[in-house]
Amino acid sequence: MGEVDGNTVIAQALKKQGIDYVFGIIGYPVIELSMALQMAGINYIGMRNEQAACYAAQAMGYLTGTPGAVLVVSGPGLLHTFGGLANAQVNCWPVLVIGGSAPVDHEGIGGFQECNQVELARPYCKYSARPASISLIPLHVEKAVRLAKTGRPGAAYLDFPDNILRGRVSEDSIPDQYGPTPIPQIYPNPQDISRAISVICQAKNPLVIVGKGAAYSRAEKEVRDLIECTNLPFLATPMGKGVVPDTSPKCVGSARSTALQQADVILLLGARLNWILHFGRPKRFSPNVKIIQVDLNAEELHNSVKSEVGIQSDIKTAVRQIADGLQKQNYVYSDRSEWWKLLKKKCQENQKIVKAMAADVSVPLNYYAVFKNLFDSLPEDCIIVSEGANTMDIGRSMLLNNQPRHRLDAGTFGTMGVGMGFGIAAALYCRDNEPDKRVICVEGDSAFGFSGMEIETMVRYKLPITIVIVNNSGIYTGMDPDVFKEIRDVEVTEIAKVTPPGCLSSVTRYENMMSLFGSRGFFVNNVPELRKAVKEALTMKDGPTIINVIINTTADRKPQTFHWLTESKL
């Protein structure tokens, strides 16, 4: 038997656990580890910022079910991932961060980038550990990957001091390690299923809410069958979109406020009653609503409000059993019910308002005109990545998804800066699985600024991502170019006092960033230019491009019945 170093053991252990992609930025002490990863047949994707690398890795975990990994240097390198770690943990996406660290014999005496990394990472992870020896590395890698993807998925961190990475041991001291184990499937309590069926059958105003958990669990067939055979109205949370097609006649997303407020029974599938669903409380919900909650995680049941029926189960198995039980009772919710009539009426009224706003193509453009014409120009079933304030919120209703896991956005944690990392992961996923599918990143100009230099990563790996920047020259709202010019003419010492905090540079030419790489972007002021730019951008197969769409600096959403974060108390 020969000798093997820690870097090789880590790489081989990751490969055995099914890790195909590692995103990161190299430096001391992980340079050799990045090479060992490639030698083991793992794809190493060099990024420009550790936070974006962590966003990419967790998106790969969501799309494939196997965690993406992140490789970072000690101290600041790891600290830069914490936004991504927290996002993965709150968003319930599997990711594994691997951090180099100072040699153990330098700890406590001021080692280079010395940092208490294991403890600092612990609040953002399901598992945070440092293997004590090279021979224990496979055990910790297996456990970290298993914990990241089982139960409620989330983040894990493994810490590797320099002396462990460079250390060498006899090959026969490394124990055989089992490969990835199947995720246990949780079956529901039959009594809970019977109670759920009984409650649904008694409902006057039933509603199904499809959450991201249904998408992650690959439950689209079961949920679609349920909706189709029962004629129940449904709406989806942002990343639950596409589990049942947005274009389904059963979708009542256009009447969301009415549906939530007046439903008397809600079947909640893999969604949490957090801020996105207004905590399940009045005034956004009926005070007497009965919730049937299906969730993988028992601790999530009855959170915020007490559910009428709480079912701990894999979404697939629970939905299949509920659908079978309803079919045995010949349950079909009537199209002629007053509830369906009200929901259809509200959908038509709201769609009419949106249609009128989308028809207003005066310059500068509004969000609705941009999204309507963008969506009309896209090929079918793109993966849509989106972030921003109004850009993301309005885009959720205008950019439709008819396939699951085809929308990636800021999610539960509301994190800005995720778009470029998510887009990179989605493009790599498409390259491996559906090479003809396109990835469209729809970014607010403020959100794009968080990680815009990742376009160089896209160029380097020849990822054909179309980035559409909806540019209102500000955070939430911007400033008219003439007013901005007046401010810029103010004395330098006074500029900070008179420039509004949400103001960004007016009409920034983001598309010109593509010229850094010998490519081209598109500057768009009107609808014909937008349609032409999208058509040309979609012909570009060897790298990304930017479409910079200038909109009205004060463009806003259609009038809302409620404030976006309505207080939950009466």
Side-chain angles (χ1 to χ4, degrees):
M1 283 288 186
E3 287 190 329
V4 64
D5 66 4
N7 289 310
T8 301
V9 175
I10 295 168
Q12 291 176 347
L14 291 170
K15 185 66 176 177
K16 190 156 192 177
Q17 297 307 318
I19 303 295
D20 287 327
Y21 279 94
V22 177
F23 303 83
I25 298 176
I26 65 165
Y28 173 83
V30 298
I31 297 171
E32 290 79 8
L33 178 52
S34 67
M35 299 174 184
L37 294 169
Q38 292 180 322
M39 291 292 290
I42 295 172
N43 296 290
Y44 176 79
I45 307 297
M47 303 282 285
R48 300 303 298 265
N49 180 279
E50 291 92 350
Q51 199 166 344
C54 199
Y55 295 142
Q58 64 194 256
M60 187 63 77
Y62 174 65
L63 291 168
T64 65
T66 298
V70 187
L71 179 64
V72 296
V73 302
S74 51
L78 174 66
L79 295 176
H80 288 170
T81 69
F82 282 3
L85 273 172
N87 189 72
Q89 188 73 347
V90 174
N91 220 27
C92 307
W93 286 2
V95 70
L96 171 62
V97 174
I98 299 163
S101 58
V104 292
D105 56 319
H106 289 183
E107 289 181 348
I109 57 174
F112 175 69
Q113 294 184 334
E114 181 187 350
C115 187
N116 191 10
Q117 297 177 186
V118 175
E119 291 305 314
L120 287 171
R122 201 178 303 281
Y124 309 104
C125 294
K126 295 179 70 177
Y127 182 66
S128 180
R130 171 192 285 183
S133 66
I134 294 175
S135 63
L136 288 173
I137 287 172
L139 181 150
H140 282 278
V141 169
E142 186 280 330
K143 184 174 182 180
V145 172
R146 174 165 44 85
L147 266 61
K149 68 182 184 179
T150 55
R152 172 182 279 181
Y157 172 67
L158 291 178
D159 190 73
F160 294 100
D162 173 64
N163 52 295
I164 292 287
L165 294 171
R166 293 187 295 107
R168 302 185 68 84
V169 297
S170 170
E171 287 185 65
D172 61 5
S173 70
I174 307 299
D176 288 337
Q177 190 63 48
Y178 42 84
T181 52
I183 297 174
Q185 193 167 48
I186 299 174
Y187 284 79
N189 183 328
Q191 292 178 336
D192 292 336
I193 295 295
S194 296
R195 288 173 58 211
I197 292 168
S198 175
V199 172
I200 292 170
C201 288
Q202 295 172 38
K204 293 183 178 179
N205 296 357
L207 178 68
V208 179
I209 299 179
V210 182
K212 179 177 67 226
Y216 184 78
S217 66
R218 273 63 178 171
E220 50 268 21
K221 180 183 185 304
E222 290 76 10
V223 178
R224 291 180 184 193
D225 288 348
L226 170 72
I227 298 298
E228 203 57 43
C229 75
T230 61
N231 194 44
L232 287 169
F234 81 93
L235 56 82
T237 64
M239 279 186 279
K241 283 162 57 67
V243 172
V244 184
D246 284 345
T247 52
S248 166
K250 314 293 193 303
C251 179
V252 294
S254 296
R256 184 178 189 270
S257 291
T258 299
L260 295 180
Q261 194 175 30
Q262 298 189 35
D264 63 352
V265 170
I266 292 176
L267 177 59
L268 188 67
L269 302 177
R272 289 173 279 181
L273 291 176
N274 55 19
W275 68 272
I276 291 178
L277 287 175
H278 320 290
F279 313 105
R281 300 180 186 177
K283 305 175 181 178
R284 299 303 295 265
F285 287 73
S286 166
N288 300 313
V289 66
K290 294 178 179 179
I291 305 289
I292 303 166
Q293 186 177 8
V294 183
D295 202 283
L296 192 66
N297 185 28
E299 288 82 357
E300 190 60 43
L301 301 177
H302 313 292
N303 190 44
S304 184
V305 298
K306 187 180 187 302
S307 296
E308 183 74 13
V309 186
I311 305 173
Q312 184 192 13
S313 174
D314 179 80
I315 302 295
K316 281 185 178 183
T317 57
V319 171
R320 187 184 303 122
Q321 292 182 25
I322 291 171
D324 288 347
L326 290 170
Q327 282 185 298
K328 286 177 182 176
Q329 297 194 26
N330 297 316
Y331 175 88
V332 179
Y333 188 68
S334 174
D335 254 336
R336 296 186 295 276
S337 67
E338 292 302 313
W339 180 229
W340 255 125
K341 290 177 183 176
L342 174 62
L343 291 174
K344 289 177 180 178
K345 178 184 175 185
K346 287 293 182 182
C347 282
Q348 291 168 359
E349 289 174 354
N350 288 332
Q351 288 166 2
K352 184 177 180 181
I353 295 170
V354 168
K355 186 176 181 180
M357 296 178 77
D360 178 7
V361 295
S362 58
V363 176
L365 295 169
N366 68 69
Y367 287 103
Y368 295 88
V370 170
F371 290 139
K372 193 268 182 191
N373 287 279
L374 172 61
F375 184 72
D376 287 349
S377 303
L378 294 178
E380 190 174 357
D381 293 333
C382 296
I383 292 182
I384 296 173
V385 178
S386 188
E387 60 175 332
N390 284 336
T391 296
M392 180 174 66
D393 292 339
I394 299 170
R396 286 169 174 163
S397 62
M398 299 291 292
L399 302 174
L400 305 183
N401 297 101
N402 289 329
Q403 296 296 327
R405 299 171 297 282
H406 277 53
R407 180 179 177 87
L408 309 175
D409 69 22
T412 310
F413 211 33
T415 308
M416 291 297 106
V418 298
M420 298 297 95
F422 285 4
I424 288 167
L428 291 168
Y429 172 82
C430 290
R431 177 177 289 180
D432 293 345
N433 298 280
E434 298 181 75
D436 293 330
K437 190 178 290 291
R438 296 303 297 260
V439 176
I440 312 297
C441 289
V442 184
E443 302 275 311
D445 51 329
S446 170
F448 174 74
F450 281 81
S451 51
M453 273 311 299
E454 295 299 340
I455 60 171
E456 188 276 327
T457 306
M458 299 173 185
V459 169
R460 196 171 356 121
Y461 292 100
K462 297 184 177 181
L463 301 176
I465 300 168
T466 301
I467 302 165
V468 180
I469 300 175
V470 184
N471 187 350
N472 70 348
S473 303
I475 303 171
Y476 299 114
T477 58
M479 184 172 290
D480 181 88
D482 292 334
V483 178
F484 183 77
K485 183 178 183 304
E486 290 178 17
I487 287 179
R488 300 302 295 167
D489 289 340
V490 172
E491 275 190 46
V492 172
T493 55
E494 297 296 318
I495 286 178
K497 297 177 184 177
V498 299
T499 301
C503 180
L504 302 175
S505 294
S506 183
V507 193
T508 301
R509 299 295 296 265
Y510 295 105
E511 79 285 355
N512 288 337
M513 294 175 72
M514 295 311 306
S515 66
L516 298 171
F517 312 104
S519 186
R520 63 175 295 224
F522 302 87
F523 182 73
V524 167
N525 266 311
N526 56 51
V527 165
E529 290 174 354
L530 174 61
R531 285 181 169 272
K532 183 174 185 291
V534 174
K535 183 177 180 180
E536 290 188 38
L538 291 172
T539 67
M540 303 170 75
K541 301 294 181 66
D542 293 326
T545 192
I546 293 174
I547 301 174
N548 184 19
V549 186
I550 306 302
I551 67 167
N552 193 317
T553 57
T554 58
D556 205 351
R557 301 178 68 178
K558 75 175 182 64
Q560 301 292 299
T561 306
F562 295 98
H563 186 264
W564 75 279
L565 199 57
T566 307
E567 290 293 334
S568 57
K569 58 181 178 289
L570 288 168

